[in-house]
Amino acid sequence: MYKLATYDAFFFRGNGEFSSGENTFATGIFPPNPQTIYGALRGNWIEQYGNVEDFNHGKYANEIGTPTSHGKLRLKGIYLSKGKTLYLPLPQDCQVIRKEDGKLEAHLLELEKGKGYESDGAQYRLVGVSNKKSESAEGKWVTVKDWEKLVLKREPVEVLPLGSFVQEQPKTGIYLNRATRTAQDGMLYQYSRNVLAPDASIVIAAELPSSLKRVSMGNKGTLWSIEEVPEFQGELKKLSDNPETVKGGKESGLVRITLLTPSLVTKELIDKDTNQFRFTGTDWIQSAIGRPQLSGGWDMARKRPKTRYTMLAAGTSFIVRVPETNSDAFLATLRETAFTDAGIEEGYGKAIISPVNLIEEG
């Protein structure tokens, strides 16, 4: 795993409107989408070890692929860190409460059977554990150790908002009319750049064909240092391979699939006739999904816009049933599955599995 950090301001553009005018304000995204980081790694490899012309002619096909294929370069995860602590996206099936001291506390939602009179006919419900005012779980981050406490022991844990890792710097610009040397009417640009908070970094899990001295990405090539952090890899693997996941999933018959990176979706996830989750082929129980976004961008090799996909955010959770037969093999397969319809090599659809308990009435 590698830590990316910069002292400069940066801007990662999303797929929202980016127009001029006093009533338009452009907002970026953070952390950047997997394809942005993958493209930056590939582009910087070309800069340090080759040239674009040779890349276009397939000279580096084995290392970083070609304009239409992937080589050895793989992105396997995007996380955040503060100092020596690794943070993961908080599962969406959580209730986030702001305590009196201003800190945020996450409680795992409880899974209950429906009452039978719900308007949508759902057989199961995710229910909050507190009647206190809650905040969205989207954009919240939790340490690896607390993630384990939250999903395996159902203990409330402290979480951090995105503002603990990155701070906004609003910026306004104008377009200068070269003839009059005055501001051009209607050409006011407003957007928000970002700077990393002290000790904050982007952490990526990646397979690099060669070491990189630096990475340039975001806002006309902001330079990022790149440092290997193998201790984070061991910490994440220990969580992913926790035997309690297999034991708990077999005992309850239910598991939670939580996306650690966004997922690109091209068709329905739940079969309307069988009620099965497409990626597992077993019964879908419930989901916790934020508002989907669109993934796109500009394809520099083909010189045209990239295909746009519906994108589910990191932290999205799906609860599915574990089959009674071959449950060990099923759970082992889930740990290796990329839950995405596109962009596997670029790091989309990485997930972690955890057991779910159904709360019985009474």
Side-chain angles (χ1 to χ4, degrees):
M1 296 181 79
Y2 301 87
K3 182 186 291 186
L4 305 178
T6 182
Y7 291 105
D8 295 332
F10 53 87
F11 179 82
F12 294 110
R13 182 176 174 179
N15 288 285
E17 184 179 0
F18 198 90
S19 305
S20 60
E22 61 184 60
N23 296 319
T24 302
F25 190 92
T27 56
I29 58 173
F30 185 84
N33 288 332
Q35 68 178 17
T36 299
I37 294 182
Y38 186 91
L41 294 174
R42 175 185 263 182
N44 281 268
W45 191 96
I46 294 173
E47 180 183 344
Q48 294 178 40
Y49 293 100
N51 59 73
V52 175
E53 184 177 355
D54 285 344
F55 168 70
N56 288 334
H57 286 88
K59 184 176 180 179
Y60 316 125
N62 187 51
E63 291 85 0
I64 59 171
T66 69
T68 58
S69 66
H70 300 84
K72 293 179 180 178
L73 176 61
R74 292 288 187 276
L75 184 62
K76 296 188 171 183
I78 302 174
Y79 316 102
L80 298 177
S81 71
K82 282 186 74 71
K84 297 182 179 180
T85 303
L86 181 65
Y87 284 80
L88 308 180
L90 182 69
Q92 291 273 6
D93 56 329
C94 284
Q95 181 180 16
V96 179
I97 300 170
R98 187 173 295 276
K99 300 191 296 183
E100 293 182 0
D101 59 5
K103 294 181 179 180
L104 297 175
E105 186 176 73
H107 299 252
L108 202 62
L109 297 178
E110 294 184 341
L111 181 68
E112 296 182 352
K113 274 199 171 184
K115 306 297 182 182
Y117 49 74
E118 290 83 358
S119 60
D120 62 356
Q123 297 184 31
Y124 298 89
R125 288 277 176 224
L126 289 169
V127 182
V129 299
S130 172
N131 58 7
K132 295 181 180 179
K133 186 176 180 180
S134 304
E135 299 187 15
S136 171
E138 195 166 0
K140 307 300 187 299
W141 295 78
V142 59
T143 68
V144 174
K145 184 179 294 185
D146 283 345
W147 205 99
E148 193 170 32
K149 288 182 181 179
L150 178 71
V151 300
L152 295 180
K153 300 179 181 179
R154 303 189 61 84
E155 297 178 5
V157 298
E158 182 180 340
V159 297
L160 295 183
L162 192 58
S164 296
F165 301 91
V166 67
Q167 299 164 353
E168 293 187 347
Q169 286 186 344
K171 186 175 179 62
T172 301
I174 60 173
Y175 178 81
L176 190 65
N177 187 310
R178 295 181 183 275
T180 63
R181 307 302 297 172
T182 59
Q184 181 75 28
D185 289 343
M187 289 296 180
L188 177 71
Y189 293 90
Q190 304 177 93
Y191 71 102
S192 183
R193 299 187 302 178
N194 292 320
V195 292
L196 289 176
D199 290 331
S201 304
I202 297 174
V203 176
I204 61 170
E207 292 180 5
L208 304 180
S210 309
S211 62
L212 294 174
K213 300 175 183 177
R214 62 190 176 277
V215 176
S216 176
M217 62 180 183
N219 193 32
K220 295 185 178 180
T222 299
L223 288 177
W224 298 68
S225 63
I226 179 167
E227 173 191 354
E228 192 168 2
V229 280
E231 62 272 20
F232 284 167
Q233 181 66 45
E235 190 177 5
L236 191 59
K237 180 173 175 54
K238 182 179 178 181
L239 174 65
S240 178
D241 294 345
N242 192 315
E244 291 299 317
T245 296
V246 175
K247 180 181 177 182
K250 291 172 64 176
E251 289 178 351
S252 68
L254 302 171
V255 289
R256 173 190 299 99
I257 301 167
T258 301
L259 294 178
L260 295 181
T261 62
S263 170
L264 302 180
V265 179
T266 60
K267 53 187 177 181
E268 294 290 338
L269 292 171
I270 314 300
D271 188 291
K272 295 180 180 179
D273 297 323
T274 64
N275 196 48
Q276 290 189 339
F277 186 55
R278 176 159 56 85
F279 287 109
T280 64
T282 58
D283 290 345
W284 167 79
I285 303 300
Q286 195 48 268
S287 305
I289 305 174
R291 177 176 294 181
Q293 303 293 323
L294 285 175
S295 171
W298 182 257
D299 190 324
M300 298 183 67
R302 296 182 176 88
K303 295 181 175 56
R304 67 184 186 190
K306 292 182 178 180
T307 303
R308 301 191 100 187
Y309 297 101
T310 298
M311 183 172 68
L312 304 182
T316 296
S317 290
F318 301 98
I319 299 175
V320 300
R321 192 173 300 282
V322 177
E324 295 182 3
T325 57
N326 299 321
S327 56
D328 288 294
F330 174 80
L331 293 170
T333 300
L334 287 192
R335 286 201 293 268
E336 302 300 325
T337 300
F339 297 89
T340 184
D341 292 324
I344 294 176
E345 296 86 355
E346 298 173 0
Y348 285 95
K350 304 304 178 184
I352 193 166
I353 313 302
S354 56
V356 178
N357 292 316
L358 180 64
I359 305 300
E360 302 291 347
E361 290 189 44

